Amino acid sequence: AVVSTQSGHYGRGAESMKIEGEAAVDQAKLSAEAQNINARAELHRITSARKSELEYLQSTNELEISKKQKMADIESTRFQRMVEELGPLNIAAIATSGKDNQVKMLQALGLKSTLITDGSTPLNLFNTAKGLIGGTISTSDVKIGLAE
């Protein structure tokens, strides 16, 4: 119960302040909920982007593996056919022929680097590596040691 006429004025002010406070609380709740929704949407967007990126990388890797496997199969088949065509006698002749003939035969086969040895002769791998790293070697640089 309000006793004085002035206290009625304070009663309306308190009620107004109460309504303003409740409105501020409701606004803060709605703002927090909006931020929560925005955060969840951003998390969903990032998760979807990462999932798509992962799927892309997996498919790219699978394609690369398939390509490498096919290239290896082709090279293996090519080498196998070449060995079959040459036959064991010709391969033995290449291994025991002079260095000039070896170089010419290997170049004719399209081989870029080859090391043929009888297995008992020591090799100077420093000179061999020079040709592999530095590019091509002239026939005068090729040193193939064979047991006599």
Side-chain angles (χ1 to χ4, degrees):
V2 176
V3 180
S4 73
T5 57
Q6 283 185 334
S7 64
H9 176 67
Y10 290 119
R12 277 191 244 162
E15 189 175 328
S16 171
M17 288 174 58
K18 177 184 173 192
I19 292 171
E20 285 177 14
E22 289 173 353
V25 168
D26 288 342
Q27 184 179 0
K29 285 180 184 178
L30 290 174
S31 177
E33 188 176 336
Q35 287 178 350
N36 189 14
I37 290 170
N38 287 338
R40 276 190 257 147
E42 181 66 12
L43 179 62
H44 179 63
R45 184 191 68 77
I46 290 172
T47 303
S48 295
R50 295 297 175 249
K51 182 179 177 184
S52 296
E53 182 181 8
L54 181 61
E55 288 171 355
Y56 171 78
L57 288 173
Q58 284 175 333
S59 66
T60 302
N61 289 341
E62 288 170 4
L63 285 173
E64 187 67 24
I65 289 169
S66 175
K67 177 184 171 187
K68 296 283 185 185
Q69 183 63 46
K70 287 178 183 177
M71 293 301 290
D73 291 344
I74 290 170
E75 185 61 25
S76 174
T77 302
R78 184 182 81 79
F79 185 76
Q80 183 179 7
R81 286 182 182 166
M82 190 172 24
V83 169
E84 287 172 0
E85 289 296 320
L86 286 173
L89 294 176
N90 286 331
I91 293 174
I94 291 171
T96 58
S97 68
K99 68 179 179 179
D100 289 336
N101 287 336
Q102 287 180 347
V103 170
K104 288 176 186 174
M105 283 189 267
L106 293 173
Q107 286 174 342
L109 293 173
L111 299 176
K112 294 185 175 136
S113 65
T114 304
L115 178 63
I116 299 175
T117 179
D118 61 359
S120 63
T121 306
L123 299 172
N124 183 345
L125 294 178
F126 290 108
N127 288 337
T128 304
K130 178 177 74 173
L132 296 175
I133 295 171
T136 59
I137 308 177
S138 71
T139 55
S140 63
D141 289 341
V142 175
K143 293 183 179 32
I144 299 176
L146 297 174
E148 295 184 21

